[in-house]
Amino acid sequence: MTHSFTESDLLQTAGKTVDPVFQQPLSTLRTLKEASIADGRITITVELPLYGYPQKDELTTAIQKTIADAHSDAGEVTVDYTVKVRGKDSGGSIGLKVKNVIAVGSGKGGVGKSTMAASIAYGLKELGASVGLMDADVYGPSIPHMLNVEGQPAASEPSPGVMRIEPNVAEGGVKVMSIGFFVKPDQAVVWRGPMLHKTLTQFLKDVEWGELDYLIIDMPPGTGDVSLTLSQLLGLAGAVIVCTPQQVALLDAVKAISMFNQVRIPVLGIVENMSGDVFGRGGACEKAKEMDVPFLGEMPIDAQVRIQGDAGNMAKLFDEDSSAREPLMNISQQVALGVAKKLLEGGSMPTLEIL
């Protein structure tokens, strides 16, 4: 069967389709990979810039309509999807092969920041991404316990005279690094700022993280040296602010947002943790609107989060029968979307060569 158009024509036509998530033409986003015609059937391949893209059906319908409107003899159009996470290549200047480094912070302790950092890491992994988790809370490293990972990391020598630290690997394949692997459980870390800076630098420069789509950094509470150190070392993809709904927590969350703005780390949005009768509900959502930052979702108070965290079984929160799975997956998906949107806003969405 002959057509009045070529594969190149199809790419040009499909490129006019407006992406329902990013609200820009596919030609601008450069997500069209190829078009093919075989036995009268048309296939358009789109390379999505993140796992967890939420509107595939809508995008498929939009592409099919665009082609049908432009080419009356097009016939059946199939849209296939591949995924290649895009990013700022955070840390490329110091040798990191990580596309996006994301800080998870709060203005105060006790809001479940470490729990949320671990949950976002597992959620992004569940979506299909390659993920690492770095515990930067050196004064209270809780990540090793929550992920049931222990033991001093091994050293490797990938090339003569070059020593590297191999991260430990948690259930599900999440790579993990924490000061908790190097000190006894009951040993306090009493350091001044320069020692903290040195350790964080080593965790980033000397750890063999490998190629990752996302590296999640669990920040210490408050507004201290760590954010400044990270801003000097890396071009972070963004920061997630975790808070509980009550006013006293929101006051500190505002300070955390101000801190990240001052060190020029983009704020991806606010997560409301432990929503429910005890702390109330909706405070973080209202504050996000007030400050014109995205609201990334809420995690209701759920005993399973505490139980599995205490037992070192955070991965079980993502089992199909887990009540925590849906809200945590939603938050993780919004984080991934937030990273992609920040890239687009900054004009740094890497281009894709059309084959």
Side-chain angles (χ1 to χ4, degrees):
M1 178 181 179
T2 59
H3 296 278
S4 62
F5 50 83
T6 65
E7 292 175 348
S8 179
D9 293 332
L10 287 173
L11 281 175
Q12 294 294 326
T13 300
K16 299 175 184 178
T17 307
V18 176
D19 185 287
V21 172
F22 299 108
Q23 293 299 308
Q24 292 199 30
L26 298 183
S27 58
T28 300
L29 298 173
R30 297 184 181 272
T31 51
L32 284 173
K33 191 172 183 182
E34 63 179 340
S36 63
I37 306 172
D39 299 325
R41 299 169 65 91
I42 296 169
T43 302
I44 304 293
T45 303
V46 177
E47 187 170 86
L48 297 172
L50 74 155
Y51 291 97
Y53 180 92
Q55 298 188 45
K56 280 186 184 178
D57 290 345
E58 292 87 340
L59 179 54
T60 296
T61 300
I63 292 172
Q64 291 170 335
K65 184 177 187 307
T66 301
I67 292 175
D69 289 346
H71 306 292
S72 59
D73 57 338
E76 182 179 355
V77 176
T78 300
V79 182
D80 290 340
Y81 292 98
T82 62
V83 179
K84 184 178 181 180
V85 174
R86 302 186 190 182
K88 296 179 67 173
D89 293 326
S90 303
S93 62
I94 61 172
L96 272 180
K97 299 175 183 177
V98 177
K99 294 177 182 176
N100 299 288
V101 179
I102 302 170
V104 178
S106 64
K108 62 181 283 132
V111 297
K113 169 189 54 61
S114 295
T115 298
M116 193 54 61
S119 296
I120 290 171
Y122 272 119
L124 292 172
K125 186 73 177 178
E126 187 79 3
L127 288 172
S130 55
V131 185
L133 176 60
M134 177 179 141
D135 188 355
D137 191 354
V138 297
Y139 300 116
S142 55
I143 292 296
H145 176 84
M146 289 194 296
L147 272 61
N148 193 28
V149 183
E150 58 184 19
Q152 188 163 319
S156 64
E157 190 174 4
S159 59
V162 177
M163 298 303 297
R164 305 286 287 171
I165 304 170
E166 295 292 332
N168 286 337
V169 181
E171 182 180 354
V174 175
K175 296 180 179 180
V176 187
M177 181 54 60
S178 171
I179 193 65
F181 298 143
F182 299 91
V183 299
K184 296 178 181 179
D186 59 349
Q187 181 181 344
V189 176
V190 185
W191 285 348
R192 294 188 185 275
M195 190 64 179
L196 176 63
H197 175 87
K198 180 180 179 181
T199 300
L200 294 179
T201 301
Q202 188 173 22
F203 278 3
L204 291 167
K205 295 179 67 174
D206 296 340
V207 171
E208 192 63 34
W209 289 107
E211 296 185 5
L212 296 177
D213 295 319
Y214 304 97
L215 175 61
I216 308 301
I217 299 183
D218 178 25
M219 301 281 285
T223 55
D225 292 340
V226 174
S227 60
L228 186 58
T229 294
L230 293 177
S231 68
Q232 292 170 340
L233 288 172
L234 307 168
L236 269 75
V240 174
I241 308 300
V242 181
C243 66
T244 46
Q246 75 271 34
Q247 187 63 30
V248 67
L250 293 169
L251 290 172
D252 290 311
V254 170
K255 295 176 185 177
I257 291 173
S258 175
M259 171 193 67
F260 286 120
N261 286 335
Q262 287 183 53
V263 296
R264 299 185 178 181
I265 295 174
V267 175
L268 299 176
I270 298 177
V271 172
E272 180 171 294
N273 194 28
M274 295 186 275
S275 297
D277 294 337
V278 176
F279 296 118
R281 187 176 187 177
C285 183
E286 290 301 316
K287 183 60 67 175
K289 291 178 182 177
E290 179 185 322
M291 300 192 69
D292 193 27
V293 298
F295 180 63
L296 302 175
E298 66 174 28
M299 178 62 221
I301 287 180
D302 188 331
Q304 283 302 309
V305 176
R306 192 266 305 165
I307 292 169
Q308 301 299 353
D310 283 350
N313 292 325
M314 290 292 293
K316 290 190 176 297
L317 295 176
F318 292 86
D319 289 349
E320 291 294 335
D321 60 350
S322 169
S323 57
R325 176 183 169 86
E326 183 176 350
L328 290 177
M329 286 300 298
N330 175 65
I331 290 168
S332 302
Q333 182 184 52
Q334 291 304 312
V335 170
L337 276 172
V339 169
K341 289 178 179 179
K342 286 293 182 184
L343 281 168
L344 190 59
E345 290 171 7
S348 56
M349 179 74 85
T351 60
L352 172 69
E353 182 181 353
I354 296 179
L355 303 178

